[in-house]
Amino acid sequence: MKARWAVACLLSAVLFAGIVGKGYAVDNAVTGPPPPQAISQAGPEYRMGPEDVLRVSVWENKELTLDLAVRPDGKISMPLIQDVVAEGQTAMELASSIRQRLLTFLKEPQVSVIVLQVNAPKYFVIGSVTKPGTYPLRSETSILQALSLAGGFTQFASPRSIKLIRNTAGKQEVRKVNYYNMIDESGEGNYILKSGDTIVVP
């Protein structure tokens, strides 16, 4: 009788320990809210350049989810696929390129790319244009070329009152530009842009 009682007590203790252990495991499995997703610092049409910082994410693959800087040669490096050209591509185009390369190693990889920091030379077009935003300054670009890339004027734009805002030696310089002067023979006011310039179309 004593032996049976001892066995029963022992089984009860084991079962109790198992229940507590399971409860503890469940409690530890509950995690807090996921960290907020990073927000892209560039629009979907932005084409990346050297020194831009990107976040490449491959779904359910921590080893392939990385923050990477675009090198001076315009490439990024990733495990498995090595060098990938990033310069001149949009985030969507780069994600597609990485996905194609990963298909050799993974089944149906889901890849996303966002721009964490825009560090490449750039200029800004704001106001009454079709596509305001941040644009890469990849080569010599004039105000007229920049306005063309921004899709031209909207219906209520004031082409005679364009402003070019430029920071020079820590001071803000504002130049008034008349679109109609730029397109005549003299080309007056069709300045060549520098990195950081802002074109304002009222």
Side-chain angles (χ1 to χ4, degrees), residues 74-144:
K75 299 178 181 179
I76 58 173
S77 293
M78 292 184 62
L80 299 180
I81 59 176
Q82 305 306 317
D83 290 350
V84 184
V85 176
E87 183 175 9
Q89 297 200 65
T90 65
M92 185 174 294
E93 288 170 349
L94 179 57
S96 176
S97 177
I98 292 171
R99 181 183 180 278
Q100 290 299 318
R101 299 273 294 274
L102 285 174
L103 283 172
T104 305
F105 307 95
L106 303 174
K107 183 178 180 180
E108 296 300 322
Q110 297 181 40
V111 182
S112 65
V113 174
I114 63 172
V115 180
L116 295 179
Q117 295 178 26
V118 176
N119 296 325
K122 57 189 176 294
Y123 64 90
F124 310 89
V125 184
I126 62 176
S128 301
V129 292
T130 304
K131 298 186 291 184
T134 304
Y135 290 83
L137 190 59
R138 296 284 181 260
S139 58
E140 190 175 275
T141 303
S142 68
I143 292 180
L144 281 177

Side-chain angles (χ1 to χ4, degrees), residues 29-188:
V30 177
T31 59
Q37 289 188 340
I39 298 174
S40 179
Q41 299 302 306
E45 300 302 317
Y46 176 73
R47 296 190 176 276
M48 296 167 284
E51 299 185 23
D52 284 347
V53 179
L54 319 176
R55 175 163 296 170
V56 179
S57 300
V58 180
W59 179 252
E60 293 187 340
N61 195 315
K62 292 182 179 179
E63 290 75 17
L64 293 175
T65 297
L66 306 163
D67 291 353
L68 302 167
V70 181
R71 302 196 309 256
D73 64 359
K75 299 178 181 179
I76 58 173
S77 293
M78 292 184 62
L80 299 180
I81 59 176
Q82 305 306 317
D83 290 350
V84 184
V85 176
E87 183 175 9
Q89 297 200 65
T90 65
M92 185 174 294
E93 288 170 349
L94 179 57
S96 176
S97 177
I98 292 171
R99 181 183 180 278
Q100 290 299 318
R101 299 273 294 274
L102 285 174
L103 283 172
T104 305
F105 307 95
L106 303 174
K107 183 178 180 180
E108 296 300 322
Q110 297 181 40
V111 182
S112 65
V113 174
I114 63 172
V115 180
L116 295 179
Q117 295 178 26
V118 176
N119 296 325
K122 57 189 176 294
Y123 64 90
F124 310 89
V125 184
I126 62 176
S128 301
V129 292
T130 304
K131 298 186 291 184
T134 304
Y135 290 83
L137 190 59
R138 296 284 181 260
S139 58
E140 190 175 275
T141 303
S142 68
I143 292 180
L144 281 177
Q145 290 170 326
L147 291 172
S148 175
L149 290 170
F153 303 119
T154 60
Q155 181 179 357
F156 300 107
S158 299
R160 288 186 171 84
S161 303
I162 298 169
K163 293 179 181 178
L164 172 65
I165 302 175
R166 174 175 292 171
N167 289 318
T168 305
K171 295 182 180 180
Q172 191 175 81
E173 176 187 350
V174 180
R175 302 181 184 183
K176 294 183 179 180
V177 180
N178 185 327
Y179 172 76
Y180 298 104
N181 290 340
M182 289 191 290
I183 62 175
D184 69 16
E185 290 183 1
S186 67
E188 180 185 349

Side-chain angles (χ1 to χ4, degrees), residues 1-14:
M1 180 67 70
K2 288 183 178 180
R4 290 181 181 177
W5 173 253
V7 171
C9 289
L10 181 59
L11 288 173
S12 298
V14 169

